[in-house]
Amino acid sequence: MKKELEKINSLLKNYFGIPKLNKRTPNPLDILIGTILSQNTNDKNSFKAYQNLKSKISSWDDILKMRTSTLESIIKVAGLGKQKANSIKNLIKNLKSVNGKISLDFLKNADDDKAIEELTKFKGVGVKTASCVLLFSMKRNVCPVDTHVHRILNRIGVVKTNSPDKTYFAIKEFIPGNNGHSLHTNLLRLGREFCLPKNPKCSLCPLESICHYSEKNLGKTTLKQKNDFFLLDKI
Ligand code: SF4
């Protein structure tokens, strides 16, 4: 699997380039709340909700005094307002009662698996959300798996899994060194531009030469040719 992920990463970097990584280290709690807001909506709406929320509070402590209905109306542009308001309120309350302060600093020394385990204890925080905190704030070499990444890796034939979480755990040991961010970001872009849920644009896709699914979709490259491609890997 390592060779396959290296090849995918290399082809995507050649095609899309190396995605820019924010050099700043954002506060993990900011990233976690931003990612909760981004669930099931687009970047524009989740960013707007996040900005609305930040403009109404001076620190995350203020959430404790805020009614859940008020929080819900502040973030409603991101959709699922009630659910997300409950998740955020529950998260802040738990951090305060368990750790005595509203911070995720306690994760600093945890390894990746432990950090995911701790974060997913919070209601409304799944593996994808937790792995985004690790990648974007803690700068860990992980590849968050959303529906795009899950769909692509299954179509290519790197994994055979039935959920994004299972895909995350299947590939986590094999992420090419320091390429978690580039792999995640470029796969996401591929999923939006080429590997669409319906009618993927296989004939134009930069991964067509190594993808098992494209064989069905295009009916041309043989499975043997694709296997040879990996075996002759010259990365
Ligand atoms: S070749 Fe087709 S199925 Fe395979 S990754 Fe590209 S778009 Fe998706």
Side-chain angles (χ1 to χ4, degrees):
M1 188 184 294
K2 189 162 188 273
K3 282 250 178 243
E4 290 167 299
L5 290 174
E6 280 174 354
K7 175 54 82 179
I8 290 166
N9 187 51
S10 163
L11 288 170
L12 290 175
K13 281 208 286 197
N14 284 343
Y15 192 83
F16 291 129
I18 301 172
K20 273 195 190 144
L21 178 60
N22 190 344
K23 292 239 166 57
R24 285 188 315 114
T25 308
N27 182 319
L29 189 53
D30 291 1
I31 294 285
L32 179 54
I33 291 175
T35 311
I36 291 172
L37 290 171
S38 76
Q39 292 165 357
N40 297 94
T41 191
N42 58 41
D43 292 349
K44 191 176 153 205
N45 287 343
S46 64
F47 186 61
K48 197 157 184 208
Y50 182 80
Q51 282 186 313
N52 282 351
L53 181 54
K54 281 294 234 180
S55 71
K56 297 278 191 301
I57 57 174
S58 55
S59 76
W60 292 119
D61 289 72
D62 294 349
I63 300 278
L64 289 173
K65 296 171 252 156
M66 192 182 278
R67 293 167 73 97
T68 308
S69 56
T70 308
L71 178 56
E72 185 183 337
S73 80
I74 292 171
I75 62 170
K76 69 178 176 199
V77 64
L80 303 176
K82 192 166 189 176
Q83 187 183 310
K84 291 178 183 177
N86 280 327
S87 295
I88 293 168
K89 192 112 192 202
N90 173 66
L91 167 69
I92 301 289
K93 264 163 99 175
N94 272 322
L95 284 172
K96 184 76 176 176
S97 65
V98 175
N99 300 318
K101 62 175 184 170
I102 301 170
S103 153
L104 292 176
D105 286 353
F106 67 99
L107 294 176
K108 266 185 195 156
N109 297 322
D111 66 21
D112 295 349
D113 287 347
K114 183 68 182 163
I116 294 280
E117 186 190 319
E118 291 297 324
L119 285 167
T120 52
K121 284 180 184 169
F122 298 110
K123 200 170 164 233
V125 179
V127 173
K128 195 210 90 177
T129 300
S131 55
C132 282
V133 174
L134 266 64
L135 176 67
F136 293 110
S137 174
M138 298 165 75
K139 308 294 183 197
R140 302 289 179 90
N141 187 41
V142 297
C143 177
V145 176
D146 70 346
T147 53
H148 292 299
V149 177
H150 172 63
R151 180 176 67 254
I152 297 166
L153 294 181
N154 273 276
R155 281 178 172 173
I156 292 173
V158 174
V159 291
K160 276 188 185 166
T161 51
N162 58 13
S163 73
D165 289 1
K166 285 183 183 161
T167 301
Y168 172 84
F169 288 111
I171 66 169
K172 73 182 173 68
E173 303 294 336
F174 306 103
I175 306 299
N178 282 330
N179 280 283
H181 177 260
S182 124
L183 186 64
H184 166 77
T185 309
N186 281 338
L187 281 172
L188 218 65
R189 188 167 170 192
L190 188 87
R192 288 175 177 152
E193 296 180 17
F194 294 94
C195 197
L196 310 172
K198 285 184 185 167
N199 303 321
K201 301 173 182 172
C202 298
S203 60
L204 304 171
C205 175
L207 301 186
E208 192 277 323
S209 60
I210 58 165
C211 179
H212 286 197
Y213 180 92
S214 73
E215 191 172 323
K216 293 180 207 151
N217 211 24
L218 297 173
K220 58 178 193 186
T221 316
T222 68
L223 186 61
K224 184 175 180 312
Q225 279 174 314
K226 288 175 194 304
N227 286 338
D228 286 351
F229 196 84
F230 281 126
L231 290 172
L232 295 171
D233 197 323
K234 297 278 198 302
I235 298 171

